[in-house]
């Protein structure tokens, strides 16, 4: 939670003393220090403070901290530190479980790499044609971020050489294990020079991690942060439900507390499917994130949730792993997870920006054993509230998200940039910038979030007008 707020200690210390968690304590170049300032990284997060001094000193690391704690910079800064930009060879490789996580990591590395000129970072993941990747590789890259399978493909085609590699990173190692990548990872590691530095990052610490680490880390330091969240910032409430009431209780919570963005966790895919069906039937903007979505569908779901045009994202723990979503007002545990660590992890997803958030849990009699384990782990008793205190759904307007997503056919392939869309909406059509939310340009589509009240007008305007001098097709998602 401390990632946004500089600690009060640092604010008071000002220029006279360097606070313990200040980046200025690290042996980083002056340009990197000022880049961090520009990014608003005023103080290290706890996992960064614990791991950066060791990693920058060249140690192998096993680092564990929850999602959203700033792990990316904790490995990106050391790999950039090890890098020689004048040497045109792949010097760092980051393995990630999915394309979407690889994209997030690439973005963060690029922002951090801005301190130096001309550092090239390339993403290599499955699900996209090899041809473009081969061309990009031929142009050279300093840093590669990718999924284990696709990296192996390139190694076997000899389109990727790792002999100049000095940093190997395994990000979301627990998830890669879940997905059965252990052997692929070991094979990739074998293709790296033995003198490299290896950094392993993970949100949880299942048994398999130490086994994996033992295979190819050298005398690693362990950095574990199973921090408890500040109880005052996250308000937890438990409701006892009968199984027959559970799905309806979710809509009661939504209508009563009216959070803009809610992540609803279910223990099974079946429960996810049931819940989304019920919520949608009641008029909620609810979407499900699950493994059977193809990449385009998945992108659409995430874009809509992040741009505040979807009120509820329903997911299992596996599907929700690693998503970097800020501004979650609420988390709902539709089922109680049998693993108390998972509960703490779920609850920690809420209230990440201003630190405030709701965590609601629905528990049936059968789940009281799990609630007991959660209480034991949290060191406090769960606060129970009766369902009857929630306002009657029939008496309130149905909860609606503030924004609506419009999909424009055409994206990076057509060289559309966010500015083109913004220009068409504000200059050509006269809408106010404040009525327009996030603009996401994907390969073949562009998504723009607009305020609900102007959505129809924007849709008509864009369909009749032009973007980048061309007529476009637009539809409401
Ligand atoms: P994790 O990998 O642990 O889930 P991320 O690396 O994705 O977490 O970081 C979560 C968010 O915190 C990102 O938006 C990132 O830009 C931001 N962040 C990371 N480090 C800092 C910092 N020191 N100060 C402020 N924000 C930070
Ligand atoms: Mg991460």
């Amino acid at each position: 939670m401390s990632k946004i707020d500089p600690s009060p200690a640092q604010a008071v210390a000002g220029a006279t003393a360097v606070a313990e968690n200040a980046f200025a304590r690290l042996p980083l170049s002056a340009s990197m220090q000022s880049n961090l300032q520009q990014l608003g990284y005023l103080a290290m997060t706890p996992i960064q403070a614990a791991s950066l001094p060791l990693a920058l000193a060249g140690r192998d690391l096993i680092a564990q901290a929850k999602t959203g704690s700033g792990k990316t910079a904790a490995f990106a800064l050391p790999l950039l530190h090890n890098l020689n930009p004048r040497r045109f060879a792949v010097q760092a490789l980051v393995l990630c479980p999915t394309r979407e996580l690889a994209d997030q990591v690439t973005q963060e590395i690029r922002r951090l790499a801005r301190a130096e000129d001309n550092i090239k970072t390339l993403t290599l993941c499955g699900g996209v044609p090899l041809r473009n990747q081969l061309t990009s590789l031929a142009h050279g890259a300093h840093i590669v971020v990718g999924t284990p399978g696709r990296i192996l493909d390139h190694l076997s085609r000899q389109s990727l050489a790792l002999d100049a590699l000095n940093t190997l990173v395994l990000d979301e190692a627990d998830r890669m294990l879940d997905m059965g990548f252990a052997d692929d990872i070991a094979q990739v590691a074998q293709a790296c020079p033995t003198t490299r530095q290896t950094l392993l990052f993970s949100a949880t610490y299942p048994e398999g991690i130490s086994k994996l680490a033992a295979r190819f880390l050298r005398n690693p330091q362990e950095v574990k942060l199973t921090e408890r969240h500040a109880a005052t910032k996250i308000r937890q409430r438990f409701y006892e439900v009968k199984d027959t009431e559970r799905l309806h209780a979710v809509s009661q919570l939504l209508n009563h507390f009216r959070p803009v963005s809610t992540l609803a966790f279910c223990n099974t895919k079946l429960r996810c499917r049931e819940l989304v069906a019920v919520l949608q039937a009641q008029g909620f903007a609810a979407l499900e994130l699950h493994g059977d979505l193809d990449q385009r569908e998945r992108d659409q779901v995430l874009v809509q949730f992040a741009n505040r045009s979807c009120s509820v994202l329903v997911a299992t723990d596996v599907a929700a792993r690693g998503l970097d979503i800020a501004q979650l007002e609420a988390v709902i545990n539709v089922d109680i997870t049998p693993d108390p660590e998972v509960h703490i992890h779920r609850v920690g997803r809420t209230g990440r920006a201003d630190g405030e958030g709701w965590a609601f849990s629905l528990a049936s009699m059968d789940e009281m054993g799990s609630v007991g384990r959660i209480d034991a782990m949290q060191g406090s008793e769960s606060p129970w509230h009766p369902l009857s205190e929630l306002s009657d759904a029939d008496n309130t307007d149905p909860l609606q998200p503030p924004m609506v997503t419009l999909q424009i056919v055409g994206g990076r392939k057509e060289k559309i940039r966010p500015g083109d869309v913004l220009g068409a909406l504000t200059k050509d059509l006269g809408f106010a910038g404040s009525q327009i939310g996030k603009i996401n340009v994907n390969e073949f589509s562009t998504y723009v979030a607009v305020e609900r009240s102007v959505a129809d007008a924007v849709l008509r305007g864009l369909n009749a007008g032009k973007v980048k001098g061309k007529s476009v097709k637009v539809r409401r998602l």
Side-chain angles (χ1 to χ4, degrees):
M1 291 293 140
S2 59
K3 68 189 165 125
I4 308 284
D5 306 321
S7 74
Q10 193 207 18
V12 172
T16 50
V18 179
E20 239 171 86
N21 58 352
F23 281 103
R25 294 202 157 242
L26 301 174
L28 297 172
S29 66
S31 57
M32 180 57 89
Q33 297 283 7
S34 72
N35 184 34
L36 288 166
Q37 290 262 322
Q38 278 169 23
L39 291 172
Y41 289 19
L42 304 178
M44 292 187 271
T45 66
I47 187 66
Q48 291 166 357
S51 56
L52 281 169
L54 293 164
L56 289 170
R59 296 294 306 260
D60 279 9
L61 277 193
I62 303 176
Q64 180 212 349
K66 67 182 175 112
T67 301
S69 55
K71 294 191 289 296
T72 318
F75 61 74
L77 290 171
L79 74 80
L80 288 167
H81 187 73
N82 290 346
L83 200 91
N84 176 357
R86 284 174 302 282
R87 180 159 188 203
F88 294 104
V90 175
Q91 296 166 58
L93 172 64
V94 183
L95 295 178
C96 298
T98 61
R99 192 196 82 171
E100 172 184 294
L101 291 167
D103 283 339
Q104 283 180 15
V105 167
T106 302
Q107 279 171 22
E108 176 85 349
I109 292 180
R110 288 199 177 128
R111 297 195 308 149
L112 292 167
R114 280 200 304 236
E116 281 271 1
D117 285 339
N118 298 323
I119 294 181
K120 281 189 74 177
T121 306
L122 190 62
T123 322
L124 299 177
C125 298
V128 287
L130 268 169
R131 194 163 31 89
N132 296 357
Q133 295 183 348
L134 294 174
T135 320
S136 308
L137 275 167
H139 284 111
H142 296 99
I143 304 167
V144 167
V145 181
T147 46
R150 183 53 67 98
I151 298 293
L152 274 184
D153 274 357
H154 282 289
L155 287 174
S156 64
R157 292 167 164 265
Q158 299 187 328
S159 43
L160 173 65
L162 297 178
D163 33 282
L165 192 100
N166 52 38
T167 321
L168 172 65
V169 179
L170 313 181
D171 190 22
E172 304 259 353
D174 49 355
R175 176 100 193 268
M176 291 202 283
L177 285 178
D178 284 348
M179 295 170 72
F181 281 142
D183 290 332
D184 286 359
I185 295 170
Q187 234 178 303
V188 173
Q190 287 208 317
C192 302
T194 51
T195 52
R196 70 175 190 268
Q197 182 180 12
T198 309
L199 305 171
L200 183 157
F201 281 78
S202 191
T204 62
Y205 200 92
E207 215 188 310
I209 293 283
S210 23
K211 284 197 196 134
L212 184 73
R215 285 169 82 173
F216 50 79
L217 268 68
R218 284 185 312 168
N219 187 18
Q221 288 280 304
E222 288 193 13
V223 181
K224 286 195 200 175
L225 284 187
T226 36
E227 50 178 314
R228 301 278 110 80
H229 352 92
T232 49
K233 292 194 165 173
I234 295 170
R235 289 162 292 180
Q236 285 211 61
R237 287 190 177 186
F238 281 72
Y239 295 86
E240 186 182 331
V241 294
K242 297 196 199 75
D243 261 321
T244 49
E245 298 171 320
R246 198 186 293 271
L247 300 179
H248 184 63
V250 176
S251 33
Q252 281 179 279
L253 286 169
L254 293 171
N255 276 329
H256 185 86
F257 292 96
R258 311 188 77 76
V260 173
S261 301
T262 301
L263 188 54
F265 286 103
C266 302
N267 288 356
T268 63
K269 285 191 208 168
L270 179 64
R271 177 84 82 201
C272 288
R273 215 169 305 148
E274 289 169 351
L275 178 61
V276 166
V278 165
L279 291 176
Q280 287 179 346
Q282 293 178 335
F284 289 99
L287 293 171
E288 184 187 354
L289 190 65
H290 58 78
D292 303 335
L293 298 177
D294 66 31
Q295 197 61 50
R296 190 186 49 90
E297 294 167 326
R298 203 176 156 80
D299 285 346
Q300 280 191 0
V301 169
L302 292 174
V303 161
Q304 291 179 82
F305 191 58
N307 73 16
R308 299 156 79 83
S309 63
C310 158
S311 304
V312 193
L313 186 64
V314 179
T316 58
D317 296 291
V318 172
R321 278 291 278 290
L323 298 179
D324 179 22
I325 306 166
Q327 305 278 0
L328 270 185
E329 278 84 0
V331 160
I332 300 180
N333 295 305
V334 181
D335 306 288
I336 302 297
T337 156
D339 179 346
E341 282 221 34
V342 170
H343 178 86
I344 290 181
H345 207 75
R346 285 177 172 184
V347 166
R349 303 296 294 261
T350 184
R352 287 163 45 180
D354 60 4
E356 302 237 317
W358 286 107
F360 305 115
S361 301
L362 303 175
S364 65
M365 282 312 277
D366 294 345
E367 293 168 317
M368 291 306 166
S370 302
V371 175
R373 281 194 294 278
I374 290 169
D375 285 354
M377 180 130 181
Q378 294 187 146
S380 63
E381 253 184 57
S382 298
W384 289 91
H385 287 254
L387 266 186
S388 58
E389 81 178 16
L390 302 180
S391 42
D392 198 343
D394 304 335
N395 296 335
T396 47
D397 293 335
L399 177 70
Q400 289 209 315
M403 311 299 278
V404 167
T405 301
L406 303 179
Q407 178 187 19
I408 302 171
V409 180
R412 277 198 300 272
K413 274 268 176 319
E414 284 73 29
K415 303 220 179 345
I416 292 184
R417 281 172 312 177
D420 301 325
V421 179
L422 196 62
L425 291 176
T426 53
K427 289 207 202 81
D428 306 353
L429 298 171
F431 290 99
S434 60
Q435 294 172 315
I436 297 154
K438 284 196 188 206
I439 300 174
N440 294 83
V441 183
N442 289 10
E443 198 162 8
F444 302 108
S445 283
T446 299
Y447 302 96
V448 52
V450 298
E451 271 180 12
R452 176 167 299 278
S453 57
V454 295
D456 289 329
V458 172
L459 184 65
R460 276 194 306 271
L462 274 181
N463 268 324
K466 293 191 161 149
V467 173
K468 244 197 150 173
K470 286 205 188 109
S471 314
V472 286
K473 271 212 193 84
V474 188
R475 69 179 186 115
R476 186 178 173 141
L477 279 191

